Amino acid sequence: MPVYMNGELVLYGFVGDSYWREGFTSTEVLEALAEHGTDNDLDVRLNSGGGYAFEGLAIYNALHAHKGNVTIHVDAIAASAASTIAMAGDKIIMRAGSEMMIHDPSGYTFGTA
């Protein structure tokens, strides 16, 4: 699913590249921002249960650096990494019945020192 539609950024699905789920990546967001123009105000529609924390952080930073005003519309849910993305808005609008879920990040490591 394209992330830039009708002049809006539409971030639905998994945050990051995933073999099993449709979603969006920071690279796709950067490409959409370039197409939209850095000085233009931007509406972002967000509906995501989350995904990769660092991918969400990269998207947050890209939206936060956008020179135009950014309005985030949480259409249904902004959970986990998507809640980080939501905080990039100059204005955040929670639609009727929508939810935001914030938690501490988790991760894992493996291998040798």
Side-chain angles (χ1 to χ4, degrees), residues 34-86:
E35 182 178 346
H36 184 73
T38 58
D39 293 326
N40 298 323
D41 292 347
L42 178 66
D43 284 302
V44 179
R45 293 177 47 213
L46 182 59
N47 180 30
S48 173
Y52 299 127
F54 288 119
E55 193 75 3
L57 184 58
I59 294 168
Y60 165 88
N61 284 323
L63 292 173
H64 187 70
H66 184 73
K67 292 182 176 138
N69 284 322
V70 175
T71 301
I72 306 284
H73 303 267
V74 178
D75 288 343
I77 189 166
S80 195
S83 70
T84 302
I85 295 168

